[in-house]
Amino acid sequence: MSGRPARDRDVTTVPSDVFAAPTTGPRLMAGWADTARPADLGAHLGRYGPLPGAAALIDTVHAAGLRGRGGAWFPTGRKLAAVASGRRRSVVVANGAESEPCSDKDHALLTVAPHLVLDGIVLAAKALGTDDAIMCVHRGDPVVAGVRAAIAQRAGFDSVAVRLVEVPARFVASEESALVNFLNTGEARPVDTPPRPFERGVRGRPTLVDNVETLANVALIARFGADWFRSVGTTATPGTMLITVGGAVARPGVREIPLGTTISGVLGPSGDGSVGAVLVGGFGGNWVALPSAADLRLAPEDLGAVGGSLGVGLLLALPAYACGLAETARIARYLAGESATQCGPCMFGLPAIVGDLDALTHGAPVVGRLRHRLGVVTGRGACAHPDGAVRLAASALTAFADDVRAHAAGRPCAGVGRAPVIRVPTVTGPGLGWR
């Protein structure tokens, strides 16, 4: 990434009211999505205006109703307030370690709008009265060079200097307690909570851990206000979200959509004319069957009502000819291999679940045993990794109910012998790559 620092283009002297808030279309990706290259700091400030003050930021974010975009969808204003209530100087950690193999939304944001994320980090730090701010990305991620260049452009511009840290490229290394543990010990494995990071995190201090998309939204809310943010989305979950769309669709890629958009509204025409199911939320998400779920809205409140989760903002469309059980078994095998090997549910429960899914895929009557194992694994790990794997497998038994009955009766579907549809990486191995 190249470009002159902001002091070469003195946009900070321009009155802020000349910078118009996006009223329709993309917000986070406004102006940059079509270029596929980052804006330098001068161009960024020329588009969005100078960095505003942070005195009322926590109240404004709370009024806006922003919820975290990293998977848990926790209210951001409440998290900021919890960190602010701590007695020690706090730490801000921006989570840009996108572990979901098929998700590209954080990568896209950091590629084309790194300064919007950095604005959010700086504003959050100022609101919390700290100058200790860290950006975490996966080691070897192609965005590292661009983020590092963006941080360098801001030298002398911000009162808060953001430090870039590369974490191991493991699935659970991006979980918030794993990030804090890595920053404290060099080991990127989750730890038991409580205390949560907002209570005692990096170096024992109250720590705000927020996804980079969340922090980019903080920067926009600080500039354009709570009412502007709430002008799209749902009442319970306002704003837009970045979502990765893949699988059997005509136009795969990252899109910015208002929360509450239906599944069919996001997928558009299928690539082959026939989609049988959609994986919503990522590898720890839920399968939903089409066409019955086509009008399901992508909002946490709607998905939660049917036992689902929006997760990391990922839709993977499975063509009707594919075997959903075989695809689920492949994903579950990857999740089992990405275990931090610290807790029994991951170390022993997930491989057993994978074995049952494999057996069921090939016609063994193991549904009862599988359901029992799903029931005893969930809710027992140091992190939510086994819960996500259980959610995935349990949803497959519902979404592919007809196939489950046929497979269990010894009649596997024709899709078992087809080439895999969903991109599942090679498992790193449980004992490797945590430092």
Side-chain angles (χ1 to χ4, degrees):
M1 183 162 83
S2 62
R4 295 176 297 174
R7 59 188 73 256
D8 291 341
R9 284 185 59 193
D10 194 14
V11 295
T12 58
T13 63
V14 181
S16 61
D17 58 4
V18 307
F19 300 96
T23 54
T24 60
R27 293 176 165 193
L28 295 165
M29 308 291 278
W32 312 125
D34 294 333
T35 68
R37 62 178 183 272
D40 63 29
L41 181 57
H44 166 76
L45 295 174
R47 175 171 295 279
Y48 292 106
L51 204 62
L57 181 71
I58 296 176
D59 289 341
T60 305
V61 169
H62 181 74
L66 173 64
R67 295 173 64 173
R69 303 301 200 248
W73 292 82
F74 189 81
T76 305
R78 284 174 54 190
K79 184 183 281 191
L80 279 163
V83 175
S85 68
R87 295 184 179 181
R88 300 183 63 190
R89 186 166 67 95
S90 57
V91 180
V92 174
V93 175
N95 189 353
E98 192 167 28
S99 294
E100 187 69 38
C102 293
S103 178
D104 291 314
K105 61 104 173 173
D106 290 344
H107 175 90
L109 179 64
L110 288 171
T111 296
V112 301
H115 286 292
L116 199 60
V117 176
L118 292 168
D119 282 352
I121 300 172
V122 171
L123 286 166
K126 288 182 175 179
L128 295 171
T130 185
D131 60 359
D132 198 345
I134 302 166
M135 165 86 82
C136 292
V137 295
H138 276 311
R139 190 177 299 144
D141 191 313
V143 302
V144 168
V147 172
R148 196 180 300 281
I151 290 173
Q153 288 176 21
R154 301 173 77 104
F157 173 77
D158 292 320
S159 59
V160 177
V162 179
R163 178 163 57 98
L164 181 64
V165 173
E166 298 179 58
V167 303
R170 298 301 303 259
F171 187 85
V172 298
S174 62
E175 192 268 343
E176 66 172 10
S177 75
L179 284 183
V180 169
N181 191 35
F182 179 73
L183 293 170
N184 284 336
T185 71
E187 184 86 353
R189 300 178 194 252
V191 296
D192 285 317
T193 56
R196 302 298 298 272
F198 73 84
E199 297 168 305
R200 188 166 72 243
V202 177
R203 298 186 297 282
R205 298 175 181 173
T207 300
L208 177 77
V209 182
D210 261 332
N211 173 260
V212 290
E213 182 184 348
T214 309
L215 290 163
N217 273 301
V218 166
L220 294 180
I221 291 168
R223 284 181 167 96
F224 305 127
D227 290 343
W228 167 82
F229 185 75
R230 284 187 171 277
S231 64
V232 299
T234 72
T235 301
T237 317
T240 64
M241 66 173 291
L242 298 177
I243 189 162
T244 307
V245 182
V249 292
R251 293 192 309 110
V254 176
R255 303 174 198 171
E256 184 173 359
I257 63 165
L259 279 150
T261 304
T262 63
I263 288 177
S264 60
V266 176
L267 291 182
S270 61
D272 64 351
S274 177
V275 174
V278 180
L279 181 57
V280 181
F283 282 8
N286 300 71
W287 288 107
V288 296
L290 295 184
S292 60
D295 293 328
L296 185 62
R297 297 195 314 166
L298 293 173
E301 60 271 26
D302 291 51
L303 290 164
V306 296
S309 170
L310 193 49
V312 297
L314 175 65
L315 289 186
L316 292 176
L318 191 70
Y321 63 75
C323 176
L325 295 176
E327 297 290 337
T328 303
R330 291 176 57 244
I331 297 172
R333 187 177 301 109
Y334 167 77
L335 294 176
E338 284 296 305
S339 164
T341 64
Q342 299 182 128
C343 309
C346 266
M347 293 175 64
F348 308 112
L350 294 193
I353 288 169
V354 172
D356 282 350
L357 285 169
D358 276 332
L360 178 60
T361 297
H362 293 93
V366 296
V367 177
R369 186 176 67 191
L370 174 57
R371 289 189 187 278
H372 171 74
R373 284 173 168 164
L374 294 176
V376 299
V377 167
T378 188
R380 297 178 56 209
C383 69
H385 184 63
D387 295 7
V390 166
R391 185 183 304 114
L392 171 79
S395 70
L397 297 181
T398 300
F400 308 114
D402 290 344
D403 286 344
V404 169
R405 285 188 288 270
H407 281 242
R411 302 189 305 275
C413 64
V416 172
R418 288 180 176 266
V421 174
I422 295 175
R423 183 180 79 237
V424 178
T426 301
V427 176
T428 306
L432 304 173
W434 295 104
R435 288 189 168 270

